[in-house]
Amino acid sequence: MASLIGHVTVDCADPYRLASFWAEVLGGSLADEDLPGDPEAWAITGSAKLLFVSVPEPKSRKNRLHLDLQPQDRTRDAEVERLLSLGATVAGDHRRPDGTGWVTLSDIEGNEFCVERSAAERAA
């Protein structure tokens, strides 16, 4: 049998704060034992586990790996607006006039991720 990805680990300055952001983004929750100031914190959803680990050095350049999000119950543009209201910022707008494309956002610590069109938008 091949290996499975157990979780994705993200180095960060404030694990609890960043895990809280991502739990909200993904409709998940923090692990029960996670508290502000802990060196690690988990964002757990039905489909993914993200582990945030405190490191002393700041983010210094573009991610080599990023997450691509596909909204489940809203359009890409509505999801972008929701994520902006949570504290994300636009890093690049790759939407095209025909409605295709994606938006690259940065989370509250500057980690890039993309928001694609929803399955309903792709099917239309």
Side-chain angles (χ1 to χ4, degrees), residues 98-120:
D98 67 358
T100 61
W102 67 96
V103 179
T104 303
L105 300 176
S106 293
D107 70 18
I108 58 175
E109 287 201 10
N111 301 299
E112 296 91 3
F113 63 99
C114 294
V115 182
E116 303 175 343
R117 293 183 300 155
S118 68

Side-chain angles (χ1 to χ4, degrees), residues 62-101:
K62 183 180 181 298
N63 298 2
R64 299 274 317 243
L65 172 75
H66 70 266
L67 302 176
D68 289 335
L69 305 182
Q70 187 179 77
Q72 298 300 297
D73 60 353
R74 60 183 58 93
T75 66
R76 173 200 57 213
D77 295 346
E79 181 67 349
V80 167
E81 291 305 315
R82 183 180 81 87
L83 299 175
L84 293 173
S85 75
L86 296 176
T89 57
V90 175
D93 193 332
H94 309 282
R95 292 176 278 198
R96 299 182 191 107
D98 67 358
T100 61

